[in-house]
Amino acid sequence: MQAGNAIYETIADLPPVLPVFPLSGALLLPRTQLPLNIFEQRYIDMIDAALAGNRLIGMVQPLPDQPSDDADRPALASVGCVGRLTSFQETGDGRYLISLQGITRFSLGKERKVYASYREVECDFAPFADDLKCGEGEDDVDRNGLLRTLREYLDANNLEADWESVTEAETEVLVNALCMMCPYGPQEKQALLEARDLKTRAETLIAITEMDLARSQNDGGTTLQ
């Protein structure tokens, strides 16, 4: 796949170690864009290093419920997604506004002991090699079921959608965009990230949404106010 001016044809094109940005509730998927506001100094340092190097950063969720010897270094989820820094803006007050383009997921390995203020981990891309193939698994997705569930959710919450754009979107783009936009919590976002393939990710999103709708009906209200 191509990200900006870089092309990643196989997992051999990716580095064995990545700096990681732990951020609860953030979801990055292959071929999606994630805008971020970077203001903490250690992550400013991370962006500076990425800009000077290969521009790759691993997005991963922290696991605050698991014990850690250092509150500033919480335990991390076992799967993250590497993104390429495709745009950045200096704000003038010490922050960066950046955009990451998702490349592929990875399994987190051993954390490296480094002198930098941010964290680095060893990465295993092998389980997710198919992430580099654009549109992989689209034909297996129950697109009609996904659209039906989306319509039910929007109706229940009195929301509207640009259905022309939705129906014209490629299946991979549609599934991943809906996953990134869904208003669910960190556990649900991690389940969507770790789904084995595009078909499983769509099924997981449908199941989560149907459970949310059922819970809302039982509570006599909707999830969004």
Side-chain angles (χ1 to χ4, degrees):
M1 69 166 291
Q2 184 166 349
N5 293 328
I7 298 176
Y8 305 96
E9 294 182 343
T10 71
I11 58 174
D13 296 326
L14 295 161
V17 176
L18 284 174
V20 289
F21 184 13
L23 185 59
S24 181
L27 178 62
L28 179 64
L29 293 168
R31 285 170 291 282
T32 63
Q33 296 280 336
L34 179 65
L36 293 169
N37 177 16
I38 308 296
F39 55 87
E40 194 173 341
Q41 186 57 52
R42 56 180 164 173
Y43 299 125
I44 295 289
D45 295 342
M46 181 184 68
I47 297 303
D48 286 338
L51 288 170
N54 57 26
R55 299 198 174 199
L56 297 177
I57 295 169
M59 290 299 302
V60 60
Q61 291 206 99
L63 298 174
D65 294 335
Q66 294 195 14
S68 172
D69 296 333
D70 186 345
D72 289 333
R73 290 175 174 258
L76 302 175
S78 60
V79 176
C81 184
V82 56
R84 181 174 171 84
L85 204 162
T86 53
S87 69
F88 77 98
Q89 178 183 349
E90 296 174 321
T91 63
D93 59 3
R95 294 177 295 121
Y96 277 125
L97 301 178
I98 70 168
S99 181
L100 294 179
Q101 181 173 349
I103 306 299
T104 178
R105 293 169 293 168
F106 64 95
S107 293
L108 276 73
K110 182 179 178 181
E111 183 166 351
R112 291 287 186 94
K113 292 184 177 180
V114 293
Y115 293 106
S117 55
Y118 51 88
R119 303 166 72 176
E120 293 185 352
V121 300
E122 297 176 359
C123 303
D124 181 7
F125 300 103
F128 307 106
D130 284 347
D131 282 358
L132 295 175
K133 303 174 184 177
C134 182
E136 180 73 8
E138 285 186 325
D139 293 340
D140 298 324
V141 172
D142 180 6
R143 185 182 174 104
N144 290 333
L146 180 64
L147 292 176
R148 182 171 58 252
T149 304
L150 172 61
R151 188 179 293 277
E152 291 172 356
Y153 180 85
L154 294 174
D155 289 345
N157 289 281
N158 298 315
L159 297 172
E160 303 254 341
D162 180 356
W163 284 104
E164 182 177 356
S165 297
V166 169
T167 54
E168 291 179 354
E170 296 178 357
T171 299
E172 181 189 42
V173 172
L174 178 64
V175 171
N176 288 344
L178 291 177
C179 287
M180 291 188 64
M181 291 187 295
C182 71
Y184 302 129
Q187 290 184 333
E188 290 83 2
K189 292 290 183 72
Q190 191 65 28
L192 293 168
L193 177 68
E194 295 185 13
R196 182 177 65 255
D197 48 34
L198 194 66
K199 175 177 181 289
T200 308
R201 183 174 300 138
E203 291 172 345
T204 302
L205 180 59
I206 290 172
I208 292 171
T209 304
E210 288 178 342
M211 287 189 292
D212 184 56
L213 287 169
R215 184 166 52 247
S216 298
Q217 291 170 358
N218 291 335
D219 292 341
T222 56
T223 55
L224 298 181
Q225 302 297 324

